[in-house]
Amino acid sequence: MPGVPAPPDLTTQPRPVYVIGGGPGGLAAAAALRARGVRSVVVEKSDSVGASWRQHYERLRLHTTRRLSALPGLAIPRRFGRWVARADVVRYLEKYAEFHELELVTGVEVTRIERAPDGGGWTLHATGGRVLNAGAVVVATGFNHTPRLPEWPGLEEYTGRVLHAAEYREPGPYAGQDVLVVGVGNTGAEIAVDLADGGASRVRLAVRTAPHILRRSTAGWPAQRTGILVRRLPVRLVDRLAGLVAKASVPDLSAYGLPRPTTGLYSRVREGAIPVQDVGLIDAVRRGRVEPVAAVTGFDGGEVLLADGSRISPDAVIAATGYRRALEGLVGHLDVLDERGRPRTHGAGSGTGAAEQVPGLYFTGFSNPISGMFREMSRDAERIARAIARHPHP
């Protein structure tokens, strides 16, 4: 094709960089490496790229803008709109792998990473008895890896229906039913609104900690751009600014059972709690279509116990209670995880991060910053590729 540079000759690199995970973080890292003439092979346990996006609920859209969510080397098509739908994210990831001519191995799961016996590079153990030799490794297995259900008392004996939000697709099966959604992060809030819009007879939303709620955009200005601008500012300053903005743009829902949070927005973000972007929750709560209730404390027979002492008997309970990174079996023995099982660093690492402690091992996609996950995975990819190209591993 005229104007397109010839692809680099990668056949002289017998020990490639292995990228574990064919989601946006892994694909971005592989493309950035290829652009620098470094051979990389993406290993994906499912049969296609973007597996987690294929499994999300139908209503989901990126909370970040199309222009600020593109991965390195390929824009997201304008026809996908400003807030890209789940299915279009999948189409984009498929096109991305094809466009960059990425080496992709599907249906293979890497289960353990070890130092190579000769000290040069890494040995990867995979399903089917496969042993792979890598010069370096990028772990991109995903933020939403393994659904997490709290160990609620009485759950095993509960006679009602409980499912994790990972199993929820669309509201049709719940039409006419009384549904309790547990967890008021972005997933729980969106599923609750989806159920209310889709004909559920009653939707309750169990809230343990009151969330910060943001308008997705105000007068055309997306919340993501604000997140990018403030993420390097002092936490206390951002907390104060966010509090003023919230009071001016988000109504007080205390009378409906959803009070304003008592801790600062950015303080919560630093602890891992991302603000809820409003895609209908405020209106649904004010109209009584979604009812905030107390947190779930346990189950008793066919009843759900709430923190305020009340008991309810919904037809279904959907637990939007998050995910585990599930990295312990893969890299737990390498002393690169913190006490919560998260990588100690992302990207190319710096200072005392995991990538500095264990050269040749990189992580991407294990945080959810207010500046946008896709944007930060793109930046991670470039940093990782630069580091590997600058200091190639054997």
Side-chain angles (χ1 to χ4, degrees):
M1 183 181 297
V4 177
D9 180 9
L10 306 178
T11 60
T12 59
Q13 301 172 22
R15 187 148 40 173
V17 176
Y18 275 95
V19 179
I20 306 174
L27 298 180
L33 286 162
R34 182 177 176 81
R36 288 168 173 77
V38 178
R39 183 185 175 206
S40 63
V41 178
V42 179
V43 183
E44 166 57 45
K45 71 177 182 179
S46 73
D47 59 2
S48 56
V49 300
S52 65
W53 277 91
R54 295 176 190 276
Q55 298 165 7
H56 286 315
Y57 50 96
E58 293 292 338
R59 184 189 183 98
L60 179 63
R61 290 179 176 269
L62 280 177
H63 293 160
T64 54
T65 66
R66 172 182 54 80
R67 297 184 65 180
L68 293 174
S69 301
L71 302 178
L74 184 66
I76 299 176
R78 292 186 63 182
R79 68 179 183 276
F80 289 172
R82 193 181 198 194
W83 311 104
V84 184
R86 179 203 64 82
D88 287 331
V89 172
V90 172
R91 294 186 184 98
Y92 172 67
L93 295 178
E94 291 174 338
K95 181 63 177 179
Y96 191 85
E98 176 187 351
F99 178 83
H100 287 291
E101 300 180 335
L102 302 181
E103 287 191 60
L104 182 65
V105 177
T106 60
V108 174
E109 181 179 7
V110 176
T111 57
R112 187 175 175 88
I113 301 172
E114 296 177 338
R115 270 293 188 191
D118 62 3
W122 300 87
T123 298
L124 280 58
H125 299 273
T127 51
R130 297 173 179 86
V131 178
L132 310 173
N133 296 314
V137 180
V138 180
V139 179
T141 49
F143 188 82
N144 296 337
H145 187 276
T146 301
R148 183 183 67 84
L149 271 178
E151 296 181 354
W152 284 305
L155 178 59
E156 292 185 0
E157 293 78 32
Y158 180 58
T159 58
R161 183 185 179 197
V162 178
L163 66 152
H164 191 273
E167 302 174 67
Y168 177 85
R169 295 293 176 270
E170 50 91 18
Y174 307 93
Q177 294 189 14
D178 179 345
V179 186
L180 172 68
V181 180
V182 184
V184 69
N186 280 292
T187 297
E190 289 190 25
I191 289 176
V193 173
D194 198 32
L195 288 163
D197 290 346
S201 63
R202 186 175 190 179
V203 181
R204 285 175 281 203
L205 182 59
V207 179
R208 183 181 62 177
T209 304
H212 287 274
I213 302 176
L214 300 176
R215 299 289 188 185
R216 186 166 61 177
S217 66
T218 303
W221 178 267
Q224 180 190 8
R225 286 198 177 276
T226 302
I228 293 170
L229 292 174
V230 305
R231 67 173 309 198
R232 302 296 182 188
L233 296 178
V235 173
R236 294 175 69 178
L237 175 60
V238 178
D239 282 347
R240 290 184 61 188
L241 293 174
L244 294 174
V245 170
K247 288 182 179 180
S249 62
V250 177
D252 186 356
L253 301 175
S254 299
Y256 304 92
L258 201 59
R260 293 190 187 278
T262 57
T263 53
L265 182 149
Y266 204 27
S267 295
R268 294 273 296 278
V269 168
R270 297 291 291 270
E271 297 172 357
I274 298 299
V276 172
Q277 292 203 18
D278 178 44
V279 290
L281 179 65
I282 293 174
D283 182 69
V285 168
R286 295 177 78 176
R287 291 175 179 270
R289 298 170 62 240
V290 171
E291 308 168 43
V293 297
V296 171
T297 58
F299 295 79
D300 183 15
E303 295 182 315
V304 182
L305 312 181
L306 303 181
D308 61 2
S310 61
R311 294 168 172 253
I312 60 176
S313 301
D315 296 309
V317 177
I318 300 175
T321 48
Y323 296 79
R324 294 188 297 108
R325 311 293 88 81
L327 291 168
E328 289 79 6
L330 188 67
V331 296
H333 54 288
L334 298 174
D335 192 29
V336 294
L337 305 178
D338 64 16
E339 65 280 357
R340 295 171 63 182
R342 303 171 304 181
R344 293 203 182 104
T345 191
H346 293 74
S350 61
T352 59
E356 292 293 319
Q357 295 174 21
V358 185
L361 179 62
Y362 305 88
F363 297 88
T364 183
F366 292 98
S367 63
N368 194 8
I370 58 174
S371 50
M373 183 178 283
F374 272 53
R375 178 180 184 272
E376 293 307 317
M377 286 189 293
S378 295
R379 293 162 67 87
D380 275 353
E382 299 289 359
R383 286 192 288 263
I384 290 170
R386 282 197 302 268
I388 292 176
R390 188 165 53 243
H391 302 292
H393 300 279

